[in-house]
Amino acid sequence: GIQVEQSPPDLILQEGANSTLRCNFSDSVNNLQWFHQNPWGQLINLFYIPSGTKQNGRLSATTVATERYSLLYISSSQTTDSGVYFCAGMEAGTASKLTFGTGTRLQVTL
Amino acid sequence: EPEVTQTPSHQVTQMGQEVILRCVPISNHLYFYWYRQILGQKVEFLVSFYNNEISEKSEIFDDQFSVERPDGSNFTLKIRSTKLEDSAMYFCASSFLAATDTQYFGPGTRLTVL
């Protein structure tokens, strides 16, 4: 199965700062999703983005499928952005399981 | 907006007891999944289910686990004889298509085995 690596593992930002989170895949994927896990443990869908670029408010994501990586941009961070960000991919040619990365733990301070 | 729901939100059980975790997927979705997350670790795939059959399962999903869609709306995960290491957050997810589609996750059930 595919391996999913996320960087950095931990990130501390001051409110208002911007950040970039990275996700690398060991093989091609046909499905790629970004999630935010809030302090209550819930997994919130951010993006379904197997390729291309999408934006949703202060968040945007870009996946370069040919180079097997995806980036999540957070602009003008707020304390409510704190939590763990996971990316997950589904190996191309398969049709079932998402393989998750180990996450980036983000803490936004005042 | 439709969402996946799970009950209970927290379940405490004694080792060796059977537990059933319940999920109501999004109504027009056809594919259903269970994942788990041991505290502090990443989310791991357990099983996928389509057309009343398991389509894929992981090594974690051994004979102690089973899934069922008992009616048109519920999707359940049963752990026959719980072990301490089954303590985790269990997430249900659903999607309309198998591969090229968003999997929507429920809020999770936190299972604590004593």
Side-chain angles (χ1 to χ4, degrees):
Chain A
I2 60 170
Q3 306 298 314
V4 181
E5 292 182 359
Q6 290 188 244
S7 59
D10 296 280
L11 190 56
I12 300 175
L13 298 175
Q14 274 205 312
E15 198 171 44
N18 303 325
S19 62
T20 301
L21 282 57
R22 186 176 177 108
C23 182
N24 289 330
F25 293 87
S26 61
D27 210 335
S28 299
V29 296
N30 59 8
N31 180 330
L32 194 157
Q33 295 182 226
W34 282 96
F35 298 88
H36 174 215
Q37 187 164 43
N38 64 22
W40 296 271
Q42 296 175 329
L43 284 171
I44 310 300
N45 279 302
L46 297 178
F47 295 102
Y48 167 79
I49 187 165
S51 63
T53 297
K54 288 187 178 179
Q55 179 153 7
N56 184 4
R58 296 182 295 103
L59 301 182
S60 63
T62 294
T63 297
V64 183
T66 53
E67 297 188 21
R68 300 176 187 169
Y69 73 87
S70 184
L71 302 174
L72 178 70
Y73 305 97
I74 305 173
S75 65
S76 304
S77 57
Q78 300 175 358
T79 55
T80 51
D81 295 330
S82 296
V84 183
Y85 290 80
F86 289 102
C87 66
M90 185 181 295
E91 188 172 359
T94 68
S96 208
K97 71 178 185 185
L98 287 173
T99 299
F100 281 73
T102 51
T104 292
R105 183 174 298 277
L106 174 64
Q107 184 180 351
V108 181
T109 61
L110 292 172
Chain B
E1 183 176 317
E3 57 184 19
V4 177
T5 60
Q6 291 185 242
T7 54
S9 56
H10 191 185
Q11 171 114 31
V12 181
T13 190
Q14 295 289 326
M15 192 169 53
Q17 295 297 302
E18 174 183 287
V19 295
I20 297 176
L21 310 183
R22 291 182 165 80
C23 168
V24 179
I26 293 173
S27 62
N28 67 335
H29 283 185
L30 304 175
Y31 295 84
F32 314 113
Y33 314 87
W34 284 101
Y35 293 80
R36 80 170 186 191
Q37 183 184 30
I38 295 171
L39 187 64
Q41 298 186 20
K42 65 179 181 180
V43 179
E44 301 173 289
F45 170 80
L46 289 178
V47 66
S48 59
F49 192 84
Y50 169 71
N51 199 25
N52 278 321
E53 287 185 349
I54 290 174
S55 41
E56 186 175 354
K57 60 183 181 179
S58 72
E59 292 176 354
I60 304 168
F61 194 89
D62 62 20
D63 292 344
Q64 292 299 310
F65 292 88
S66 62
V67 290
E68 190 179 30
R69 187 152 164 84
D71 53 43
S73 58
N74 290 283
F75 180 50
T76 61
L77 174 70
K78 182 194 290 187
I79 308 175
R80 226 175 307 278
S81 177
T82 50
K83 305 173 190 146
L84 295 176
E85 55 264 37
D86 293 328
S87 294
M89 180 78 101
Y90 288 80
F91 294 102
C92 173
S94 71
S95 64
F96 181 67
L97 299 173
T100 55
D101 195 12
T102 303
Q103 289 188 17
Y104 292 89
F105 281 67
T109 292
R110 185 170 299 283
L111 176 66
T112 302
V113 182
L114 302 175

Coordinates of all heavy atoms in Angstrom, one line a residue, chain B residues 7-74:
Chain B
T7 N -23.7 6.7 16.9 CA -24.0 6.5 18.3 C -23.4 5.3 18.9 O -23.3 4.3 18.2 CB -25.6 6.4 18.5 OG1 -26.1 5.4 17.6 CG2 -26.2 7.8 18.2
P8 N -23.1 5.2 20.2 CA -23.1 6.4 21.1 C -21.8 7.2 20.8 O -21.0 6.8 20.0 CB -23.0 5.7 22.5 CG -22.2 4.5 22.2 CD -22.6 4.0 20.9
S9 N -21.7 8.4 21.5 CA -20.5 9.2 21.3 C -19.4 8.6 22.1 O -18.2 8.8 21.8 CB -20.8 10.7 21.7 OG -21.3 10.7 23.0
H10 N -19.7 8.0 23.2 CA -18.7 7.4 24.1 C -19.3 6.1 24.7 O -20.4 6.1 25.2 CB -18.3 8.4 25.2 CG -17.1 8.0 26.0 ND1 -16.6 8.7 27.1 CD2 -16.2 7.0 25.8 CE1 -15.5 8.1 27.5 NE2 -15.3 7.0 26.8
Q11 N -18.5 5.1 24.6 CA -18.9 3.8 25.2 C -17.8 3.2 26.0 O -16.6 3.2 25.6 CB -19.2 2.8 24.0 CG -19.4 1.4 24.5 CD -20.8 0.9 24.2 OE1 -21.5 1.3 23.3 NE2 -21.3 0.0 25.1
V12 N -18.1 2.9 27.3 CA -17.2 2.3 28.2 C -17.6 0.8 28.4 O -18.8 0.5 28.6 CB -17.1 3.0 29.5 CG1 -16.1 2.3 30.4 CG2 -16.8 4.5 29.3
T13 N -16.7 -0.1 28.3 CA -17.1 -1.5 28.4 C -16.0 -2.3 29.1 O -14.8 -1.8 29.2 CB -17.3 -2.2 27.0 OG1 -17.9 -3.5 27.2 CG2 -16.0 -2.3 26.2
Q14 N -16.3 -3.4 29.6 CA -15.3 -4.3 30.3 C -14.7 -5.2 29.2 O -15.4 -5.7 28.3 CB -16.0 -5.1 31.4 CG -16.6 -4.3 32.5 CD -15.5 -3.8 33.4 OE1 -14.4 -4.4 33.6 NE2 -15.7 -2.6 33.9
M15 N -13.4 -5.5 29.4 CA -12.7 -6.5 28.6 C -13.5 -7.8 28.4 O -14.1 -8.3 29.4 CB -11.4 -6.8 29.2 CG -10.4 -7.5 28.3 SD -8.7 -7.4 29.0 CE -9.0 -8.1 30.6
G16 N -13.6 -8.3 27.2 CA -14.4 -9.5 27.0 C -15.8 -9.3 26.6 O -16.5 -10.3 26.1
Q17 N -16.3 -8.1 26.8 CA -17.7 -7.8 26.4 C -17.9 -7.5 25.0 O -16.9 -7.1 24.3 CB -18.3 -6.7 27.3 CG -18.4 -6.9 28.8 CD -19.3 -8.0 29.1 OE1 -20.5 -8.0 28.7 NE2 -18.8 -9.1 29.7
E18 N -19.1 -7.7 24.4 CA -19.4 -7.4 23.1 C -19.9 -6.0 23.0 O -20.6 -5.5 23.9 CB -20.5 -8.3 22.5 CG -21.0 -8.0 21.2 CD -22.1 -8.9 20.7 OE1 -21.9 -10.1 20.4 OE2 -23.3 -8.5 20.7
V19 N -19.5 -5.2 22.0 CA -20.0 -3.9 21.7 C -20.5 -3.8 20.3 O -19.9 -4.4 19.4 CB -19.0 -2.8 22.0 CG1 -18.6 -2.8 23.5 CG2 -17.7 -2.9 21.2
I20 N -21.5 -2.9 20.1 CA -22.0 -2.6 18.8 C -22.0 -1.1 18.6 O -22.6 -0.4 19.4 CB -23.4 -3.2 18.5 CG1 -23.4 -4.7 18.6 CG2 -23.9 -2.7 17.2 CD1 -24.8 -5.3 18.5
L21 N -21.2 -0.7 17.6 CA -21.2 0.8 17.3 C -22.1 1.0 16.1 O -22.0 0.3 15.1 CB -19.7 1.2 17.0 CG -18.7 0.8 18.0 CD1 -17.3 1.3 17.7 CD2 -19.1 1.2 19.4
R22 N -22.9 2.1 16.2 CA -23.9 2.3 15.2 C -23.6 3.6 14.4 O -23.1 4.6 14.9 CB -25.3 2.4 15.8 CG -25.7 1.1 16.4 CD -27.1 1.1 17.0 NE -27.6 -0.2 17.2 CZ -27.3 -1.1 18.2 NH1 -26.5 -0.6 19.1 NH2 -27.9 -2.2 18.2
C23 N -24.0 3.5 13.2 CA -23.7 4.6 12.2 C -25.0 4.8 11.3 O -25.6 3.7 10.9 CB -22.5 4.3 11.4 SG -22.2 5.4 10.0
V24 N -25.3 6.0 11.0 CA -26.3 6.2 9.9 C -25.6 7.0 8.9 O -25.3 8.2 9.0 CB -27.5 7.0 10.5 CG1 -28.5 7.3 9.3 CG2 -28.2 6.3 11.6
P25 N -25.2 6.4 7.7 CA -24.5 7.1 6.6 C -25.5 8.1 6.0 O -26.7 8.1 6.2 CB -24.2 5.9 5.7 CG -24.3 4.7 6.5 CD -25.4 4.9 7.5
I26 N -24.9 8.9 5.1 CA -25.7 9.8 4.3 C -26.6 9.0 3.4 O -26.2 8.0 2.8 CB -24.8 10.7 3.5 CG1 -24.0 11.6 4.5 CG2 -25.5 11.6 2.5 CD1 -22.9 12.5 3.9
S27 N -27.9 9.4 3.3 CA -28.9 8.6 2.8 C -28.7 8.0 1.4 O -29.1 6.9 1.1 CB -30.3 9.3 2.9 OG -30.3 10.4 2.0
N28 N -28.2 8.8 0.4 CA -28.0 8.2 -0.9 C -26.7 7.6 -1.2 O -26.3 7.3 -2.3 CB -28.3 9.3 -2.0 CG -27.3 10.4 -1.9 OD1 -26.6 10.6 -0.9 ND2 -27.1 11.1 -3.0
H29 N -25.8 7.5 -0.2 CA -24.5 6.9 -0.3 C -24.6 5.4 -0.4 O -25.5 4.8 0.1 CB -23.6 7.3 0.8 CG -23.1 8.7 0.6 ND1 -22.2 9.3 1.5 CD2 -23.4 9.7 -0.3 CE1 -22.0 10.6 1.1 NE2 -22.7 10.8 0.0
L30 N -23.6 4.8 -1.2 CA -23.6 3.4 -1.5 C -22.5 2.7 -0.8 O -22.5 1.4 -0.7 CB -23.6 3.2 -3.0 CG -24.7 3.9 -3.8 CD1 -24.4 3.7 -5.3 CD2 -26.0 3.3 -3.4
Y31 N -21.4 3.4 -0.4 CA -20.2 2.8 0.1 C -20.0 3.2 1.5 O -20.2 4.4 1.9 CB -19.0 3.2 -0.7 CG -19.1 2.7 -2.2 CD1 -19.8 3.4 -3.1 CD2 -18.5 1.5 -2.5 CE1 -19.9 2.9 -4.4 CE2 -18.6 1.0 -3.8 CZ -19.3 1.7 -4.8 OH -19.4 1.2 -6.0
F32 N -19.7 2.3 2.4 CA -19.6 2.5 3.8 C -18.3 2.0 4.4 O -17.8 1.0 3.9 CB -20.8 1.9 4.5 CG -22.1 2.1 3.9 CD1 -22.8 1.1 3.3 CD2 -22.6 3.4 3.8 CE1 -24.0 1.3 2.6 CE2 -23.8 3.6 3.1 CZ -24.5 2.6 2.5
Y33 N -17.8 2.7 5.4 CA -16.4 2.4 5.9 C -16.4 2.5 7.4 O -17.1 3.3 7.9 CB -15.4 3.4 5.3 CG -15.5 3.6 3.8 CD1 -16.4 4.6 3.3 CD2 -14.8 2.9 2.9 CE1 -16.5 4.9 2.0 CE2 -14.9 3.1 1.5 CZ -15.8 4.1 1.1 OH -15.9 4.4 -0.3
W34 N -15.5 1.8 8.0 CA -15.1 2.0 9.4 C -13.6 2.2 9.4 O -12.8 1.5 8.8 CB -15.5 0.8 10.3 CG -16.9 0.8 10.6 CD1 -17.9 -0.1 10.0 CD2 -17.6 1.5 11.6 NE1 -19.1 0.2 10.6 CE2 -19.0 1.1 11.5 CE3 -17.3 2.5 12.5 CZ2 -20.0 1.7 12.4 CZ3 -18.2 3.0 13.3 CH2 -19.6 2.6 13.3
Y35 N -13.2 3.2 10.2 CA -11.8 3.5 10.5 C -11.7 3.6 12.0 O -12.7 3.8 12.7 CB -11.4 4.9 9.9 CG -11.4 4.9 8.4 CD1 -12.5 5.1 7.7 CD2 -10.2 4.8 7.7 CE1 -12.5 5.2 6.3 CE2 -10.1 4.9 6.3 CZ -11.3 5.1 5.6 OH -11.2 5.1 4.3
R36 N -10.4 3.5 12.5 CA -10.2 3.7 13.9 C -9.0 4.5 14.1 O -8.1 4.6 13.3 CB -10.2 2.4 14.7 CG -8.8 1.7 14.6 CD -8.7 0.6 15.6 NE -7.3 0.1 15.6 CZ -7.0 -1.1 16.2 NH1 -7.9 -1.8 16.8 NH2 -5.7 -1.5 16.2
Q37 N -8.9 5.2 15.3 CA -7.8 6.0 15.7 C -7.5 5.8 17.1 O -8.2 6.2 18.0 CB -8.1 7.5 15.4 CG -6.9 8.4 15.7 CD -7.2 9.9 15.5 OE1 -8.4 10.3 15.7 NE2 -6.2 10.7 15.1
I38 N -6.4 5.1 17.4 CA -5.9 5.0 18.7 C -5.4 6.3 19.2 O -4.8 7.1 18.4 CB -4.8 3.9 18.8 CG1 -5.4 2.5 18.5 CG2 -4.1 3.8 20.2 CD1 -4.5 1.4 18.3
L39 N -5.6 6.7 20.4 CA -5.2 8.0 20.9 C -3.8 8.4 20.6 O -2.8 7.7 20.8 CB -5.4 8.0 22.5 CG -5.2 9.4 23.1 CD1 -6.3 10.3 22.7 CD2 -5.3 9.2 24.7
G40 N -3.7 9.6 19.9 CA -2.4 10.1 19.6 C -1.8 9.5 18.3 O -0.7 9.9 17.9
Q41 N -2.5 8.6 17.6 CA -2.0 8.0 16.4 C -2.8 8.4 15.2 O -3.7 9.2 15.3 CB -1.9 6.5 16.6 CG -1.1 6.0 17.7 CD -0.9 4.5 17.8 OE1 -1.2 3.8 16.8 NE2 -0.5 4.0 19.0
K42 N -2.4 7.9 14.1 CA -3.1 8.3 12.8 C -4.4 7.4 12.7 O -4.5 6.4 13.4 CB -2.2 8.1 11.6 CG -1.7 6.7 11.3 CD -0.9 6.7 10.1 CE -0.4 5.3 9.7 NZ 0.4 5.3 8.5
V43 N -5.2 7.8 11.8 CA -6.4 7.1 11.5 C -6.1 5.9 10.6 O -5.4 6.0 9.6 CB -7.4 8.1 10.8 CG1 -8.7 7.3 10.4 CG2 -7.7 9.3 11.6
E44 N -6.7 4.7 11.0 CA -6.4 3.5 10.2 C -7.7 2.9 9.6 O -8.7 2.9 10.3 CB -5.8 2.5 11.2 CG -4.5 2.9 11.8 CD -4.1 1.8 12.9 OE1 -4.8 1.7 13.9 OE2 -3.1 1.1 12.6
F45 N -7.6 2.4 8.4 CA -8.7 1.8 7.8 C -9.0 0.4 8.4 O -8.1 -0.3 8.7 CB -8.4 1.6 6.3 CG -9.4 0.8 5.5 CD1 -10.5 1.3 5.1 CD2 -9.0 -0.6 5.2 CE1 -11.4 0.5 4.3 CE2 -9.9 -1.3 4.5 CZ -11.1 -0.8 4.0
L46 N -10.3 0.1 8.6 CA -10.7 -1.2 9.1 C -11.4 -2.0 8.0 O -10.9 -3.1 7.7 CB -11.7 -1.1 10.3 CG -11.1 -0.6 11.6 CD1 -12.3 -0.5 12.6 CD2 -10.0 -1.4 12.1
V47 N -12.4 -1.4 7.4 CA -13.2 -2.2 6.5 C -14.1 -1.3 5.6 O -14.4 -0.2 6.0 CB -14.2 -3.2 7.3 CG1 -15.2 -2.4 8.1 CG2 -14.8 -4.2 6.4
S48 N -14.3 -1.8 4.4 CA -15.3 -1.1 3.5 C -16.4 -2.1 3.1 O -16.2 -3.3 3.1 CB -14.6 -0.6 2.2 OG -14.0 -1.6 1.5
F49 N -17.6 -1.5 2.8 CA -18.8 -2.3 2.6 C -19.6 -1.8 1.5 O -19.8 -0.6 1.4 CB -19.5 -2.3 3.9 CG -20.7 -3.2 4.1 CD1 -20.4 -4.5 4.6 CD2 -22.0 -2.8 3.8 CE1 -21.5 -5.4 4.8 CE2 -23.0 -3.7 4.0 CZ -22.8 -5.0 4.5
Y50 N -20.0 -2.6 0.6 CA -20.8 -2.2 -0.6 C -21.7 -3.3 -1.0 O -21.3 -4.5 -1.0 CB -19.9 -1.8 -1.7 CG -20.6 -1.6 -3.0 CD1 -21.5 -0.5 -3.2 CD2 -20.5 -2.6 -4.1 CE1 -22.2 -0.3 -4.4 CE2 -21.2 -2.4 -5.3 CZ -22.0 -1.3 -5.4 OH -22.7 -1.1 -6.6
N51 N -23.0 -3.0 -1.3 CA -23.9 -4.0 -1.7 C -24.0 -5.2 -0.8 O -24.0 -6.3 -1.2 CB -23.5 -4.5 -3.2 CG -24.6 -5.1 -3.9 OD1 -25.8 -4.8 -3.7 ND2 -24.3 -6.0 -4.9
N52 N -24.1 -4.9 0.5 CA -24.2 -5.9 1.5 C -23.1 -6.9 1.7 O -23.2 -8.0 2.2 CB -25.5 -6.6 1.4 CG -26.7 -5.9 2.0 OD1 -26.6 -5.2 3.0 ND2 -27.8 -5.9 1.2
E53 N -21.9 -6.4 1.2 CA -20.7 -7.3 1.3 C -19.5 -6.5 1.7 O -19.4 -5.3 1.3 CB -20.4 -8.0 -0.1 CG -21.4 -9.1 -0.4 CD -20.9 -9.7 -1.7 OE1 -20.0 -9.2 -2.4 OE2 -21.5 -10.8 -2.1
I54 N -18.6 -7.1 2.4 CA -17.3 -6.5 2.6 C -16.5 -6.5 1.3 O -16.4 -7.5 0.6 CB -16.5 -7.3 3.7 CG1 -17.2 -7.1 5.1 CG2 -15.1 -6.8 3.7 CD1 -16.6 -7.9 6.2
S55 N -16.0 -5.3 0.9 CA -15.3 -5.2 -0.3 C -13.8 -5.2 0.0 O -13.0 -5.6 -0.8 CB -15.7 -3.9 -1.1 OG -15.9 -2.8 -0.3
E56 N -13.4 -4.7 1.2 CA -12.0 -4.8 1.5 C -11.9 -4.7 3.1 O -12.7 -4.0 3.7 CB -11.2 -3.6 0.9 CG -9.7 -3.7 1.2 CD -8.9 -2.6 0.4 OE1 -9.5 -1.9 -0.3 OE2 -7.6 -2.6 0.7
K57 N -10.9 -5.4 3.6 CA -10.7 -5.3 5.1 C -9.2 -5.2 5.3 O -8.4 -5.8 4.6 CB -11.3 -6.4 5.8 CG -10.9 -7.8 5.4 CD -11.7 -8.8 6.2 CE -11.2 -10.2 5.8 NZ -11.9 -11.3 6.6
S58 N -8.8 -4.6 6.4 CA -7.4 -4.6 6.8 C -7.0 -5.7 7.7 O -7.9 -6.5 8.2 CB -7.1 -3.2 7.5 OG -7.7 -3.2 8.8
E59 N -5.8 -5.8 8.0 CA -5.3 -6.9 8.9 C -5.9 -6.7 10.3 O -6.0 -7.7 11.1 CB -3.7 -6.8 9.0 CG -3.1 -7.3 7.7 CD -1.6 -7.1 7.8 OE1 -1.1 -6.6 8.8 OE2 -0.9 -7.5 6.8
I60 N -6.2 -5.5 10.7 CA -6.8 -5.2 12.0 C -8.1 -5.9 12.1 O -8.5 -6.4 13.2 CB -7.0 -3.7 12.2 CG1 -5.6 -3.0 12.1 CG2 -7.6 -3.5 13.6 CD1 -5.8 -1.5 12.0
F61 N -8.9 -6.0 11.0 CA -10.2 -6.5 11.0 C -10.2 -8.0 11.0 O -10.4 -8.6 10.0 CB -11.0 -5.9 9.8 CG -12.5 -6.1 9.8 CD1 -13.3 -5.1 10.4 CD2 -13.1 -7.2 9.3 CE1 -14.6 -5.3 10.5 CE2 -14.4 -7.4 9.3 CZ -15.2 -6.4 9.9
D62 N -10.0 -8.6 12.3 CA -9.9 -10.0 12.4 C -11.3 -10.6 12.7 O -12.3 -9.9 12.6 CB -8.9 -10.4 13.4 CG -9.2 -9.9 14.8 OD1 -10.3 -9.6 15.1 OD2 -8.2 -9.8 15.6
D63 N -11.3 -11.8 13.1 CA -12.6 -12.5 13.4 C -13.4 -11.9 14.5 O -14.6 -12.3 14.7 CB -12.3 -14.0 13.7 CG -11.8 -14.7 12.4 OD1 -12.0 -14.2 11.3 OD2 -11.3 -15.8 12.6
Q64 N -12.8 -11.1 15.3 CA -13.5 -10.4 16.4 C -14.4 -9.3 15.9 O -15.3 -8.8 16.7 CB -12.5 -9.9 17.4 CG -11.8 -10.9 18.2 CD -12.7 -11.9 19.0 OE1 -13.6 -11.4 19.7 NE2 -12.5 -13.1 18.8
F65 N -14.2 -8.9 14.7 CA -14.9 -7.8 14.2 C -16.0 -8.3 13.1 O -15.7 -9.2 12.4 CB -14.0 -6.8 13.5 CG -13.1 -6.0 14.4 CD1 -11.9 -6.5 14.7 CD2 -13.5 -4.8 14.9 CE1 -11.0 -5.8 15.5 CE2 -12.6 -4.0 15.7 CZ -11.4 -4.6 16.0
S66 N -17.1 -7.6 13.0 CA -18.0 -7.9 12.0 C -18.8 -6.6 11.7 O -18.9 -5.7 12.5 CB -19.0 -9.0 12.3 OG -19.8 -8.7 13.5
V67 N -19.3 -6.5 10.5 CA -20.1 -5.3 10.1 C -21.4 -5.8 9.5 O -21.5 -6.9 9.0 CB -19.4 -4.4 9.1 CG1 -18.3 -3.7 9.7 CG2 -18.9 -5.2 7.8
E68 N -22.4 -4.9 9.6 CA -23.7 -5.3 9.1 C -24.5 -4.1 8.7 O -24.3 -3.0 9.3 CB -24.5 -6.1 10.2 CG -25.8 -6.7 9.8 CD -26.4 -7.4 11.0 OE1 -26.3 -7.0 12.1 OE2 -27.2 -8.4 10.7
R69 N -25.3 -4.2 7.7 CA -26.3 -3.2 7.4 C -27.7 -3.8 7.6 O -28.3 -4.4 6.7 CB -26.1 -2.7 5.9 CG -26.9 -1.5 5.6 CD -26.3 -0.7 4.5 NE -27.1 0.2 3.8 CZ -27.4 1.4 4.2 NH1 -26.9 1.9 5.4 NH2 -28.2 2.2 3.5
P70 N -28.2 -3.7 8.8 CA -29.4 -4.4 9.2 C -30.6 -3.9 8.5 O -31.6 -4.6 8.4 CB -29.4 -4.3 10.7 CG -28.7 -3.0 11.0 CD -27.6 -2.9 10.0
D71 N -30.6 -2.7 8.1 CA -31.8 -2.1 7.4 C -31.3 -1.1 6.4 O -30.1 -1.0 6.2 CB -32.8 -1.5 8.5 CG -32.1 -0.5 9.4 OD1 -31.3 0.3 8.9 OD2 -32.3 -0.5 10.6
G72 N -32.2 -0.3 5.9 CA -31.8 0.7 4.8 C -31.1 1.9 5.3 O -30.6 2.7 4.5
S73 N -30.9 2.0 6.6 CA -30.3 3.3 7.1 C -29.1 3.1 8.0 O -28.2 3.9 8.0 CB -31.3 4.2 7.8 OG -31.9 3.5 8.9
N74 N -29.0 2.0 8.7 CA -28.0 1.8 9.7 C -26.8 1.0 9.2 O -27.0 0.1 8.3 CB -28.6 1.1 11.0 CG -29.5 2.1 11.8 OD1 -29.0 3.0 12.4 ND2 -30.8 1.9 11.6

